């Protein structure tokens, strides 16, 4: 039986179920993924998913009850020994919080491997109006995702504030980066115009396993905004050569175009201010960045 109301199907998504109900009335594009043999696979997406208001959820539940669909679903849960108390309680938004049209579901012919892009099994909520062109870290709104993750965490307000300011390249993380590197200038161009500098994470924020890694100054490098973007997309990296970290540029970029931007191959980083323990952690973070850079270079070759 097709359960539709005026062409819409109704469902419940846990990412939308926030205490403040901040998603009500908004529209999103939802990417669907599954996990098989520890590999994350994107299998499709739902376009134009509308988040219900409480009144709309109540109306949907009433329609389902009138048509007998609500009881049918409760019976199906009970047949599988699942208690349907949340499905029968008064709060309609615990029954349905989204609606979508069947034709807006797009299943991929071949699953897209996204293990490297998303290191955790939790959902990520992407605003459908952001410039999403594919399932890659470069194209997704990583900052928005990470800030949403912080906002929905169980941390205290002060802890959330610390992490938010750190994530946008300011606050405690930026100070830690400056302290470890011994100055506030771009590691490549050496410009000290503060307004141009971004405290960039070497091991991406989303890949860090602890708050300590996310705030670690050894996991950061000050770069001009345009170089930060290339570094974040793994189009440039710094590889250890003869005891010095040298800039390596993706073969997909034209080096002569980059020279005018102050980006030249084999520029060396000055790590003389690093203490022994800090330098060891820097190497671990850089090795991580180098590994992803190499993987992406192989992908770019095949394109």
């Amino acid at each position: 039986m097709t359960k539709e109301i005026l062409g819409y199907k109704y469902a419940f998504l846990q990412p939308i179920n926030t205490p403040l109900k901040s998603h009500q009335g908004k529209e999103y594009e939802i990417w669907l993924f599954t996990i098989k043999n520890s590999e994350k696979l994107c299998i499709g997406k739902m376009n134009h998913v509308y988040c219900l208001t409480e009144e709309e959820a109540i109306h949907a539940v009433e329609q389902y009850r009138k048509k007998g669909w609500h009881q049918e679903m409760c019976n199906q849960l009970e047949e599988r020994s699942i208690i349907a108390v949340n499905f029968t309680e008064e709060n309609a938004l615990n029954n349905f919080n989204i609606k979508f049209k069947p034709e807006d579901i797009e299943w991929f012919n071949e699953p897209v491997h996204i293990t490297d892009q998303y290191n955790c099994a939790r959902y990520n909520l992407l605003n459908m109006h952001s410039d999403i062109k594919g399932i890659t870290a470069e194209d997704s709104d990583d900052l928005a995702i990470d800030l949403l993750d912080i906002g929905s965490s169980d941390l205290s307000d002060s802890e959330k504030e610390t992490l938010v300011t750190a994530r946008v390249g300011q606050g405690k993380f930026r100070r830690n980066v400056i302290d470890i590197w011994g100055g506030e200038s771009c590691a490549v161009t050496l410009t000290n115009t503060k307004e141009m500098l971004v405290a960039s994470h070497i091991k991406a924020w989303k890949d860090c396993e602890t708050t300590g890694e996310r705030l670690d100054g050894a996991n950061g490098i000050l770069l001009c905004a345009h170089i930060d973007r290339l570094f974040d997309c793994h189009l440039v990296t710094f590889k250890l050569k003869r005891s010095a970290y040298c800039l390596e540029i993706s073969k997909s970029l034209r080096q002569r175009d980059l020279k005018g931007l102050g980006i030249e191959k084999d520029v060396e980083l000055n790590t003389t201010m690093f203490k022994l323990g800090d330098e060891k952690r820097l190497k671990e973070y850089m090795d991580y960045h180098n590994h992803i850079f190499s993987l992406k270079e192989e992908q770019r070759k095949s394109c």
Side-chain angles (χ1 to χ4, degrees):
M1 182 185 296
T2 302
K3 298 179 176 65
E4 293 181 15
I5 301 175
L6 298 178
Y8 283 95
K9 283 185 171 293
Y10 288 75
F12 176 88
L13 281 181
Q14 184 59 39
I16 307 298
N17 188 35
T18 57
L20 297 179
K21 310 300 181 187
S22 56
H23 303 297
Q24 290 185 21
K26 294 184 179 179
E27 189 175 281
Y28 294 104
E29 183 176 70
I30 305 294
W31 300 86
L32 306 172
F33 77 94
T34 187
I35 299 177
K36 181 179 181 181
N37 298 327
S38 300
E39 285 286 316
K40 297 184 184 65
L41 304 173
C42 185
I43 58 176
K45 63 178 179 177
M46 300 166 66
N47 299 305
H48 309 295
V49 175
Y50 178 78
C51 302
L52 303 178
T53 64
E54 186 172 0
E55 292 76 12
E56 290 168 326
I58 291 172
H59 176 72
V61 170
E62 289 175 348
Q63 292 298 309
Y64 263 62
R65 283 178 173 153
K66 286 181 181 178
K67 297 175 182 294
W69 298 342
H70 193 275
Q71 187 58 51
E72 179 186 341
M73 295 167 76
C74 289
N75 293 340
Q76 291 172 346
L77 291 173
E78 291 173 357
E79 287 173 1
R80 291 164 176 78
S81 301
I82 300 174
I83 299 175
V85 61
N86 289 337
F87 200 67
T88 57
E89 67 178 30
E90 293 300 319
N91 189 348
L93 285 169
N94 284 338
N95 287 202
F96 306 116
N97 59 8
I98 65 166
K99 70 176 182 179
F100 59 93
K101 293 185 176 181
E103 59 265 30
D104 283 333
I105 298 180
E106 178 182 344
W107 300 107
F108 299 156
N109 292 327
E110 295 291 336
V112 180
H113 288 265
I114 59 172
T115 305
D116 292 338
Q117 285 79 13
Y118 297 107
N119 197 39
C120 65
R122 293 192 63 197
Y123 51 77
N124 285 320
L125 187 61
L126 308 180
N127 191 313
M128 68 166 289
H129 297 299
S130 61
D131 189 20
I132 302 171
K133 293 183 173 62
I135 314 295
T136 65
E138 295 90 343
D139 292 329
S140 64
D141 190 357
D142 288 332
L143 177 60
I145 293 169
D146 294 337
L147 294 182
L148 279 169
D149 192 48
I150 294 170
S152 61
S153 70
D154 296 327
L155 299 173
S156 67
D157 290 343
S158 60
E159 289 173 317
K160 288 180 182 180
E161 183 178 359
T162 297
L163 289 177
V164 167
T165 54
R167 177 61 183 91
V168 296
Q170 308 298 324
K172 183 174 177 59
F173 174 66
R174 186 185 181 99
R175 293 193 298 271
N176 290 346
V177 173
I178 293 170
D179 289 343
I180 280 185
W181 285 87
E184 194 169 6
S185 61
C186 174
V188 175
T189 66
L190 303 183
T191 181
N192 57 6
T193 304
K194 296 180 181 179
E195 291 78 8
M196 296 176 62
L197 301 177
V198 178
S200 182
H201 280 83
I202 300 170
K203 183 178 182 180
W205 175 280
K206 64 182 175 60
D207 295 336
C208 291
E209 298 176 4
T210 65
T211 297
E213 281 192 345
R214 288 170 171 166
L215 299 180
D216 188 359
N219 187 25
I221 182 170
L222 279 176
L223 297 169
C224 287
H226 62 295
I227 305 176
D228 162 72
R229 182 58 179 161
L230 294 174
F231 186 72
D232 189 50
C233 292
H234 297 90
L235 286 165
V236 300
T237 192
F238 299 92
K239 291 192 174 182
L240 197 57
K241 300 178 182 178
R242 300 178 302 278
S243 73
Y245 286 99
C246 300
L247 180 65
E248 183 160 334
I249 301 171
S250 169
K251 290 181 173 57
S252 64
L253 300 177
R254 296 197 301 179
Q255 295 190 30
R256 68 173 180 270
D257 293 339
L258 299 178
K259 285 184 179 180
L261 299 172
I263 305 174
E264 295 191 43
K265 183 177 173 61
D266 290 332
V267 170
E268 293 187 5
L269 297 181
N270 182 3
T271 59
T272 56
M273 296 298 292
F274 272 71
K275 297 177 183 177
L276 183 60
D278 296 336
E279 192 166 1
K280 181 181 178 181
R281 298 197 314 283
L282 171 68
K283 183 179 185 305
E284 292 173 355
Y285 294 129
M286 279 297 187
D287 286 346
Y288 188 90
H289 194 277
N290 292 167
H291 176 66
I292 298 177
F293 175 87
S294 298
L295 289 176
K296 289 185 177 293
E297 277 295 270
E298 290 299 318
Q299 293 173 3
R300 287 186 277 261
K301 281 181 185 178
S302 61
C303 292

